[in-house]
Amino acid sequence: MVSMAARQDSRSEDAPTADPLGTRGTVTANARYTLWSVEVPIPGNPRLMQGSAIGGSMSTDLYGRRLGFDLGYRVLSTNAVNADGRALSEDSSYTAIELQSDFNYVLFNSTPVFLSAGIGANARINVMNLDEPFARSLGSWTTIAAGPNVRARFFLGPNFYVTGSAFVGFVKVAGLWTAAGINASTVPPQAFYEKGGLEGLFVINGAASLAWRPFEWFALSAGFGYRKSSFQVVTEADASGNTRELGAANENDLQPFAGVEFLY
């Protein structure tokens, strides 16, 4: 039977690794409780929306001798929405789907620290369904931002490790919104459809977690994530190419989470 030390030695011949057990990649699945708030002044949307939601996320990372790749997916959806200080009906809902991808270069890789940095992108699609007696609308806004990313892992012996990541997106790749609905408070009710762009996009996205690794291939982890974004909402350009600002927008998510990690 080959000892664990022998397996470690055989792996270290191929590439250096900070992991005492020679891990090269991780697949993670988490349950997340998200405290969120959204202020996006598009037609039909309440000015300020906030609430809490239980959602999930999955991510994977794969690292070689010098290069690495990370990909994460997160979704939240809730019918418990507070808007401008009042609770909306359960027929209203808010949904957000987020994707984070990073390509990193390994800067430091020796026990007990692993550190990499590179470029990444954060994409998020938001949908607000408003179904109230005097207003029915469906609004969506999408942002994609690129920027630098850093990822670190600190090993606290063979059974515990801390993982942290941070991303700052200030290069706009895409930003757009659409809104459609019916204002039933007017006589007769008026339908509307509008669209436009999102400018001045800035995104901060980060996470930190502590993992307990009872087996070489499996770990339990818990931590928190935080995402904040800001941008300006503008209308579609008119015939003269001019746009009109509708106001500043902000998104904030605080996400305690717990889950499992499969290591290979």
Side-chain angles (χ1 to χ4, degrees), residues 6 16 35 58 68 76 86 105 125 140 182 184 211 219 221 236 238 240 247:
L35 299 171
M58 292 193 69
L76 70 90
R86 64 184 183 87
Y105 180 79
I125 300 173
S140 69
I182 297 176
S221 62
E236 185 179 26
D238 58 22
S240 301

Side-chain angles (χ1 to χ4, degrees), residues 14-100:
D14 298 331
T17 174
D19 188 343
L21 294 177
T23 297
R24 302 289 182 82
T26 311
V27 175
T28 304
N30 287 319
R32 291 177 178 253
Y33 179 78
T34 302
L35 299 171
W36 61 272
S37 66
V38 171
E39 186 176 5
V40 181
I42 66 176
N45 262 13
R47 180 69 184 187
L48 175 63
M49 299 169 288
Q50 57 189 358
S52 61
I54 296 176
S57 66
M58 292 193 69
S59 63
T60 183
D61 61 75
L62 179 63
Y63 278 83
R65 179 183 292 269
R66 290 291 177 259
L67 298 177
F69 172 71
D70 303 278
L71 179 64
Y73 168 82
R74 181 171 68 93
V75 61
L76 70 90
S77 183
T78 179
N79 296 94
V81 179
N82 291 314
D84 297 331
R86 64 184 183 87
L88 299 182
S89 72
E90 292 186 356
D91 294 326
S92 298
S93 63
Y94 171 70
T95 301
I97 301 172
E98 183 182 341
L99 184 71
Q100 176 78 43

Side-chain angles (χ1 to χ4, degrees), residues 210-241:
L210 173 65
W212 171 55
R213 186 179 188 177
F215 306 108
E216 180 179 353
W217 54 272
F218 177 79
L220 299 173
S221 62
F224 67 92
Y226 178 71
R227 181 184 185 276
K228 178 180 178 60
S229 69
S230 60
F231 46 88
Q232 289 284 335
V233 180
V234 299
T235 61
E236 185 179 26
D238 58 22
S240 301

